[in-house]
Amino acid sequence: MVRINEIIDRLIHKGLIINDGLELKELKSGTTNGVLYTLHIKRMPAYVIKIDNPKIIAATQDFLLAYKDVKLLPNVLYTDDKKEYIIYSYIPGETHCNRGSKLEWMTILIKELFNNYQRADKEIPWGRVDGIYRNTWTDFNLASLEFAQKNIGDFFSSEDHKRVEKLINKLKTYHDQEEKYYLHGDTGVHNFVYVDNQIKGVIDPSPLIGPKIYDFTYAFCSSPDSLNVSTLLSLFSLWNNDASFTMERLLDEVLFQLYTRIGVCMKVHPHDLSGYMEAWKEWREYLPSA
């Protein structure tokens, strides 16, 4: 792995930064296997340096450049030729907390990010750009289902698990006709930067070729607050969606996303579980009958 001092020397040599009051701080990298640093200039954080697998770095660079006009996303300063690291602008603020209402931050997210998503070429396979390709979007959902079932286990009744499996088959009828979009792929509150209860940035893309609604439902289900139909419908009216998109399909998509989110919650952040289970009591009523 490339050493951080070599990166700093290269940036100085290329004239991208000035060797004046530079300071490095290593960041917790969350779920990524890479290494993250903040580069401070005169005691102010200015850039993030991400060192990781070349496939991940290339995918991050391509996504940020494709959506360089989206103000919520960081700007790329430099990526090395071998794709061992990328440097992009630091967005000040905090993730997870002090985020204000879901209706407010998702409204900004919809207008500034989701409504700017681009269609992907039909020849590009479904799935993670830097990961496992899928022949269909249903294959992607089936992998998510398997992961969630394993984590949830006996915490849910066998009836609920069976009803979700039936939901997958129902969703398949939609996804067989689905258009492909170039998505952020990890649009959760853990990747949103907030200042004074307002969303100011979106970080850490995990680029995905999928249906446009995926990032919308992922964001909606990424925190247990305001997981109700009235909030959903208010937000959905702002989304630049296809006129043929029905209320029934919207509820089905959210249902499956919520189920998979509970599976992730049980593994990664169980402190949110009680909130999700309160929401599940309401949402499970929309599941297909067993």
Side-chain angles (χ1 to χ4, degrees):
M1 182 179 287
V2 65
R3 292 182 296 177
I4 187 64
N5 60 328
E6 294 174 356
I7 295 174
I8 299 302
D9 288 345
R10 184 171 297 181
L11 294 177
I12 294 171
H13 179 73
K14 288 183 171 292
L16 295 172
I17 60 173
I18 299 172
N19 189 10
D20 182 17
L22 297 180
E23 184 182 2
L24 279 169
K25 292 185 179 180
E26 188 168 351
L27 291 171
K28 293 181 180 179
S29 57
T31 55
T32 180
N33 292 320
V35 182
L36 293 173
Y37 295 89
T38 51
L39 177 60
H40 294 239
I41 299 176
K42 295 181 179 179
R43 298 186 178 181
M44 295 296 293
Y47 298 103
V48 173
I49 301 173
K50 180 176 183 176
I51 305 171
D52 212 325
N53 181 287
K55 287 181 68 175
I56 293 175
I57 297 300
T60 301
Q61 174 193 245
D62 291 347
F63 180 84
L64 293 179
L65 292 179
Y67 293 111
K68 63 181 183 299
D69 295 329
V70 175
K71 294 180 181 179
L72 287 174
L73 296 172
N75 299 314
V76 176
L77 176 69
Y78 180 74
T79 309
D80 73 306
D81 293 338
K82 294 180 179 180
K83 301 294 186 290
E84 291 182 306
Y85 60 91
I86 183 171
I87 298 98
Y88 48 82
S89 57
Y90 176 86
I91 301 175
E94 54 190 345
T95 59
H96 293 280
C97 52
N98 298 323
R99 55 183 180 260
S101 76
K102 181 171 286 182
L103 189 62
E104 290 176 350
W105 60 257
M106 272 203 71
T107 294
I108 294 171
L109 198 63
I110 290 165
K111 291 180 177 179
E112 297 191 18
L113 180 61
F114 297 163
N115 283 350
N116 289 300
Y117 275 160
Q118 304 165 4
R119 287 184 177 86
D121 191 286
K122 293 180 180 179
E123 302 305 314
I124 301 176
W126 299 96
R128 298 286 170 194
V129 172
D130 59 1
I132 300 172
Y133 298 148
R134 306 292 180 180
N135 291 326
T136 66
W137 185 248
T138 299
D139 290 340
F140 183 91
N141 276 347
L142 286 171
S144 299
L145 174 70
E146 182 180 353
F147 179 83
Q149 283 180 328
K150 181 179 179 181
N151 289 332
I152 295 171
D154 294 339
F155 196 76
F156 276 12
S157 67
S158 59
E159 179 190 354
D160 275 10
H161 285 302
K162 288 176 182 177
R163 291 172 73 185
V164 173
E165 289 177 10
K166 195 168 183 179
L167 178 65
I168 286 282
N169 292 327
K170 186 179 179 184
L171 288 171
K172 185 178 186 299
T173 62
Y174 304 130
H175 296 152
D176 285 346
Q177 308 298 321
E178 192 63 72
E179 286 189 288
K180 295 176 179 178
Y181 278 84
Y182 189 24
L183 310 178
H184 178 284
D186 196 5
T187 50
V189 292
H190 55 290
N191 282 332
F192 301 152
V193 181
Y194 300 92
V195 176
D196 296 330
N197 295 311
Q198 288 190 326
I199 188 170
K200 295 296 183 181
V202 178
I203 58 175
D204 290 347
S206 180
L208 178 71
I209 304 301
K212 192 177 181 182
I213 195 169
Y214 178 84
D215 273 8
F216 175 89
T217 59
Y218 191 102
F220 180 72
C221 294
S222 71
S223 63
D225 55 294
S226 302
L227 283 177
N228 53 69
V229 174
S230 60
T231 300
L232 174 68
L233 295 182
S234 295
L235 292 168
F236 193 67
S237 66
L238 299 171
W239 190 55
N240 186 20
N241 64 298
D242 191 296
S244 65
F245 213 103
T246 65
M247 169 76 165
E248 182 180 2
R249 180 184 173 188
L250 175 63
L251 296 178
D252 288 343
E253 296 280 3
V254 172
L255 258 171
F256 182 61
Q257 190 70 258
L258 179 57
Y259 176 83
T260 58
R261 191 68 195 171
I262 290 171
V264 171
C265 176
M266 295 186 74
K267 186 177 180 65
V268 181
H269 44 94
H271 56 277
D272 283 337
L273 186 58
S274 61
Y276 278 117
M277 291 310 299
E278 280 299 311
W280 184 252
K281 290 178 184 177
E282 174 186 348
W283 280 94
R284 70 181 296 276
E285 300 302 319
Y286 296 102
L287 283 170
S289 56

